[in-house]
Amino acid sequence: MKALILAGGFGTRLRPLSCTRPKHLFPIANRPLLELTLEKLANNGIKKAILAVNFMARELERALGKSKYGIKLHFSSDLPDEPQAKRTFKGALGTGGPIKLAERLLGTSDPFFVLNGDILTNTNYSRIMKTHRKTDGIATIALRRVKDPSRYGVVELVDKKLIRRFVEKPSDNAPSNLINAGIYILEPDIFEYILPGKTCSLEREIFPKLALEKALFGVEIKDLWIDVGEPTDFIEANRLWLKAEKETSTHSQKTRLDERVKIKDAVAIDENVVVGNESIIGPNVALGKDVSIGNAVRIKDSIIFPHTSISDLTTIESAIIGESVTVGRQVKIKNGCLIGDNSIIRDGVTIAPDVRICPAKDISEDILRSRCVV
Ligand code: GDD
Ligand code: MG
């Protein structure tokens, strides 16, 4: 079986961290999100995956290589491989256009999976396929019940499986709280619905049409599922994954923790991490490779990217600290903060909730209200 993974979005809501890496490679418990997805796909019998890329295509190719967990990887870019000056098409193909573009790679004989690449889930993909096989539809989509459906595609379901209506991001009057989970089985007939070389939204143009034709079906999933679209989602995704996949904390063998370090489960600690005396780490913390933490540091509900160093007596709560950041002594970083790669936060600085700091900034004074430092 084949799968196409949509991985070309810009990750605007995760800036500035997504300025320097695609959101699909953000680490969940120190592993890139797409690696976790590919591992699950491999366990569900997928042998070939097409990565539909655009923004930061090279970074994705370099990070994932030619195969993962026995799945052969192909990269299909929205942007034609021709010199800049000769390009006839400069944009992004949306969520539908990349499927048409990959028609030859996907083949026209069997149904295939299409996945939003920014979803973390441990769902049973084979179960969705089983449901699809019992229908005569062109598409079956995984559905998920949420409290607030307004930021998702929302469906109206009849007879448990048939979708009567599909509305993308309804501003009001959402037809239900069952949302599109971004996991689809599509029949090759879908290629007839998408024009080649054009931007197309599956959710705004194709699914509503299929619903009218009674060719759109849904299956509710109740497993771990989260769209890693916003900073709070990313922290929550780490928390959920740590809880679901690891009973207790995991430390790389090559890591050195002082005897008087307190680890509160669950925590993921990568290679060559150093944590000093009296520091309290966790719960829900991921420390990336080569991270160095001083004495009496307190970190909870946070993600620290590789090669970052944090000095003594600093506290960090519900924040994301980018790669190769230097955080001084007695710094306070409050909830919702995003610190861009290569930044320096000087000794004694307090950073208020929800502050975003662009890469390579040198911060020597307190930032006391929520804003973006560019
Ligand atoms: N190649 C390519 N080209 N990929 C794209 C493009 C594009 O132009 N635009 C978006 N993508 C990829 C993104 O990288 C992401 O993995 C996926 O398509 C979905 O795009 P998002 O921008 O993350 O959409 P969303 O989160 O607002 O909404 C989507 O996901 C929800 C579930 O989380 C929709 O599918 C909703 O209906 C759904 O409920
Ligand atoms: Mg998304």
Side-chain angles (χ1 to χ4, degrees):
M1 270 231 38
K2 294 174 190 170
L4 178 137
I5 305 178
L6 291 159
F10 291 85
T12 46
R13 290 165 291 178
L14 285 161
R15 283 180 186 156
L17 289 169
S18 55
C19 298
T20 37
R21 66 184 64 70
K23 66 173 165 177
H24 312 88
L25 294 179
F26 275 29
I28 304 290
N30 295 324
R31 292 174 64 200
L33 170 59
L34 272 183
E35 266 198 40
L36 301 178
T37 305
L38 289 165
E39 189 177 35
K40 296 274 171 207
L41 285 175
N43 295 341
N44 282 263
I46 302 295
K47 298 275 181 258
K48 176 172 167 176
I50 294 128
L51 278 299
V53 293
N54 178 343
F55 174 66
M56 291 206 176
R58 290 235 169 82
E59 282 75 2
L60 279 158
E61 266 194 81
R62 213 174 303 132
L64 297 171
K66 290 189 166 35
S67 77
K68 271 268 168 316
Y69 309 109
I71 302 182
K72 203 162 179 302
L73 303 182
H74 297 260
F75 291 82
S76 169
S77 174
D78 291 7
L79 305 168
D81 213 6
E82 53 189 81
Q84 192 90 20
K86 283 195 184 163
R87 271 185 198 163
T88 48
F89 177 78
K90 291 197 178 73
L93 289 173
T95 48
I99 300 172
K100 180 72 181 170
L101 185 69
E103 182 170 353
R104 201 179 43 78
L105 287 167
L106 289 164
T108 49
S109 49
D110 296 306
F112 48 84
F113 280 96
V114 170
L115 313 178
N116 284 351
D118 60 345
I119 302 293
L120 176 75
T121 182
N122 59 5
T123 199
N124 180 343
Y125 294 101
S126 310
R127 197 184 131 239
I128 306 169
M129 181 52 105
K130 258 188 214 149
T131 307
H132 176 75
R133 291 203 196 279
K134 287 185 201 146
T135 75
D136 54 357
I138 294 179
T140 299
I141 69 183
L143 304 171
R144 174 88 189 169
R145 218 168 270 285
V146 297
K147 276 202 193 99
D148 173 16
S150 61
R151 58 178 271 213
Y152 303 102
V154 190
V155 305
E156 185 187 338
L157 205 61
V158 282
D159 298 337
K160 283 198 180 148
K161 279 207 298 265
L162 182 67
I163 294 174
R164 178 158 42 198
R165 202 149 64 95
F166 185 103
V167 196
E168 181 65 9
K169 303 195 174 73
S171 43
D172 50 20
N173 291 332
S176 73
N177 64 348
L178 261 186
I179 61 117
N180 165 23
I183 304 167
Y184 323 125
I185 312 279
L186 302 179
E187 288 291 331
D189 307 69
I190 199 78
F191 298 127
E192 316 274 309
Y193 288 73
I194 311 169
L195 288 173
K198 293 265 188 293
T199 307
C200 165
S201 163
L202 268 186
E203 300 86 344
R204 293 183 195 277
E205 299 169 52
I206 312 297
F207 290 160
K209 199 184 270 181
L210 292 179
L212 284 177
E213 293 174 9
K214 296 193 169 48
L216 186 64
F217 291 82
V219 51
E220 186 177 346
I221 57 166
K222 293 186 174 166
D223 319 89
L224 184 160
W225 180 92
I226 185 164
D227 173 330
V228 186
E230 296 185 9
T232 47
D233 301 329
F234 182 35
I235 292 175
E236 180 63 1
N238 262 276
R239 189 186 73 77
L240 291 173
W241 192 259
L242 284 169
K243 195 167 147 226
E245 299 290 307
K246 301 168 192 228
E247 300 273 287
T248 53
S249 303
T250 54
H251 310 159
S252 160
Q253 297 292 316
K254 291 189 199 152
T255 262
R256 205 178 74 235
L257 297 185
D258 197 281
E259 270 172 28
R260 281 178 288 157
V261 170
K262 185 162 183 200
I263 300 290
K264 292 189 164 183
D265 286 335
V267 169
I269 302 182
D270 210 335
E271 278 179 31
N272 295 320
V273 169
V274 180
V275 183
N277 270 335
E278 314 290 345
S279 286
I280 307 174
I281 310 295
N284 313 321
V285 170
L287 302 179
K289 200 172 165 200
D290 297 325
V291 161
S292 147
I293 311 266
N295 298 326
V297 170
R298 177 76 183 96
I299 306 178
K300 64 188 268 200
D301 299 314
S302 296
I303 300 152
I304 317 292
F305 280 59
H307 314 295
T308 278
S309 73
I310 296 165
S311 295
D312 304 345
L313 298 158
T314 282
T315 59
I316 299 175
E317 199 170 313
S318 303
I320 307 168
I321 315 290
E323 197 164 326
S324 302
V325 172
T326 307
V327 181
R329 287 170 60 88
Q330 283 187 306
V331 169
K332 289 192 177 64
I333 300 180
K334 310 227 169 141
N335 53 299
C337 286
L338 251 71
I339 313 291
D341 298 343
N342 300 302
S343 291
I344 301 173
I345 316 291
R346 302 280 172 184
D347 292 353
V349 164
T350 293
I351 304 184
D354 300 319
V355 169
R356 295 185 185 211
I357 295 178
C358 278
K361 288 279 134 191
D362 189 335
I363 307 293
S364 52
E365 285 175 14
D366 293 351
I367 302 174
L368 297 174
R369 65 182 174 81
S370 148
R371 66 187 172 103
C372 185
V373 181
V374 287

